[in-house]
Amino acid sequence: MSAGLGRLIYMDHAATTPVRPEALEAMLPYFSNSYGNPSSIYSLAQEGRKALDDSREQVAKVLNCRIGEVVFTGGGTESDNAALKGAAFALKHTGNHIITSAIEHHAVLHTCHQLEQFGFEITYLPVDRYGLIDPDDVARVITERTILVSIMLANNEIGTIEPVSDIARLVKEEAKKRDRTVVVHTDAVQGAGFLDLDVRKLGIDMLSLSAHKFYGPKGVGILYVRRGTPLEPQMMGGGQERQRRSGTENVPGIVGTAVALKLAAEEREWVNHHCQSLRDKLIQGIYDRIANVHLNGHPTLRLPNNVNFSFESVEGEPILLGLDLAGISASSGSACSSASLEPSHVLLAIGLTADLAQGSLRLTLGKDNTEDEIDTVLAVLPGLVSRLRAMPSLSPTS
């Protein structure tokens, strides 16, 4: 546990969340008594099939979609890969141009890089200093060869919320003018539990989610695929998930995912109010106590739980280590690339220097964080930054 405190203060909910008790309880029977393969026909197996069907229905209600439009995957990364590759290869006979943004999660960016090796052309749209994408910029780069647009719902590092519904509307208008199909996908992994996931309001064709971001289990994802959307399956085998994702379904994980998503949607209003109150106190407290800091992301159009600061003249890694010694868990950006020594591509894209990007700290709050924990962070962080700034530089030029 911590060296300085009696308990852990967890402020890295953008990286992962604990499995909530209700989800765990719902999962347990499918690890033991109800262990049948849902593709078999006998009674034991049909218990699993019913659990799958019920879970799919729960997810569909949250997304406001048809039950058959819900595909269960192995996580958010697989959902992004399946969406982009699936649509790209299904539509390659009509075009090869894909549009995305410079600040997408690596699950999207690296998939796009791979698709480039197969002859697809990718436009990586820039963002403004807050990380916002201009919907008109998306519409302007659509060509006669465009087949797919993928723009995230909210950024995982800086919390900026993108105008996805406006983007989708303009894309569909441009596609109609050209009498062609352009599929719109959004990585909504960070939005679950905080933003409205109604796919009809968003106007998108595909949407990705990851269970462990909303107090569900790791290793389970959701991919919404609007009926009629061209999609070439990437997992071949037994034809599960209506031929869209082969492989024996993770019944306990899916059951826990559906329970967690349902509760996250029901609790969204009070969780947003709770987290935003703590977020604003934390942001103001850092401004008041530490000089030469920069808030990254949009000041208001941001996730209610996201705080991302860059600190001048100090690197993020020693800040994280110092916080950890005080029993505070945080991050410097995406957990999927936290081992990288390269500055965040998101922070570089919004115009930060490499030095400022290296000096970033992300604190992401959850429903169980408290005001006392915010007070503790604000008591620890200023002194930690001050000590680190006072240390002599270890660079070769010093």
Side-chain angles (χ1 to χ4, degrees), residues 77-336:
T77 293
E78 185 189 333
S79 293
D80 284 343
N81 274 255
L84 270 64
K85 294 177 188 175
F89 288 116
L91 290 169
K92 66 179 179 180
H93 63 288
T94 71
N96 69 337
H97 179 228
I98 297 169
I99 301 168
T100 190
S101 83
I103 63 167
E104 297 295 312
H105 190 277
H106 283 130
V108 168
L109 292 179
H110 289 174
T111 300
C112 287
H113 297 162
Q114 186 181 43
L115 286 169
E116 287 179 303
Q117 299 174 25
F118 288 91
F120 292 92
E121 297 178 1
I122 316 294
T123 296
Y124 300 95
L125 289 172
V127 295
D128 68 13
R129 65 192 181 102
Y130 298 123
L132 273 177
I133 298 158
D134 186 339
D136 290 330
D137 287 348
V138 181
R140 272 192 290 268
V141 297
I142 293 175
T143 73
E144 298 299 327
R145 302 290 293 169
T146 304
I147 56 175
L148 173 65
V149 174
S150 181
I151 302 294
M152 66 195 335
L153 186 58
N155 187 264
N156 52 300
E157 293 191 33
I158 59 175
T160 298
I161 300 169
E162 302 297 345
V164 168
S165 60
D166 292 337
I167 290 169
R169 176 178 52 80
L170 290 179
V171 169
K172 294 302 181 181
E173 289 175 1
E174 291 295 321
K176 187 175 182 180
K177 291 177 188 176
R178 292 171 167 79
D179 191 27
R180 61 181 294 100
T181 298
V182 180
V183 173
V184 180
H185 165 259
T186 188
D187 177 339
V189 165
Q190 291 294 333
F194 297 109
L195 303 177
D196 190 350
L197 300 179
D198 187 322
V199 296
R200 300 187 191 281
K201 292 179 182 177
L202 290 171
I204 42 87
D205 301 300
M206 296 189 289
L207 176 146
S208 301
L209 294 173
S210 183
H212 76 104
K213 305 295 188 177
F214 50 85
Y215 302 92
K218 295 175 179 64
V220 188
I222 296 167
L223 177 62
Y224 157 74
V225 183
R226 184 180 58 80
R227 188 168 68 177
T229 300
L231 189 75
E232 186 74 23
Q234 301 303 297
M235 297 282 284
M236 310 303 294
Q240 289 87 348
E241 296 299 295
R242 299 193 179 191
Q243 306 291 329
R244 294 169 298 190
R245 198 272 187 184
S246 291
T248 300
E249 295 94 342
N250 176 1
V251 178
I254 289 168
V255 168
T257 295
V259 170
L261 185 63
K262 175 178 180 290
L263 293 173
E266 291 173 353
E267 297 171 354
R268 182 162 63 95
E269 185 175 347
W270 81 258
V271 169
N272 278 354
H273 177 77
H274 172 73
C275 287
Q276 184 168 331
S277 175
L278 297 182
R279 179 201 72 183
D280 293 347
K281 178 176 180 176
L282 184 55
I283 289 173
Q284 191 59 51
I286 290 174
Y287 272 135
D288 290 344
R289 292 166 174 80
I290 306 175
N292 301 317
V293 297
H294 305 267
L295 179 68
N296 299 317
H298 198 282
T300 56
L301 297 176
R302 69 186 301 131
L303 291 172
N305 74 324
N306 179 285
V307 176
N308 188 309
F309 272 97
S310 286
F311 300 84
E312 295 181 17
S313 306
V314 63
E315 292 188 358
E317 185 175 358
I319 296 178
L320 294 180
L321 293 174
L323 290 175
D324 186 47
L325 287 173
I328 302 166
S329 297
S331 73
S332 58
S334 172
C336 301

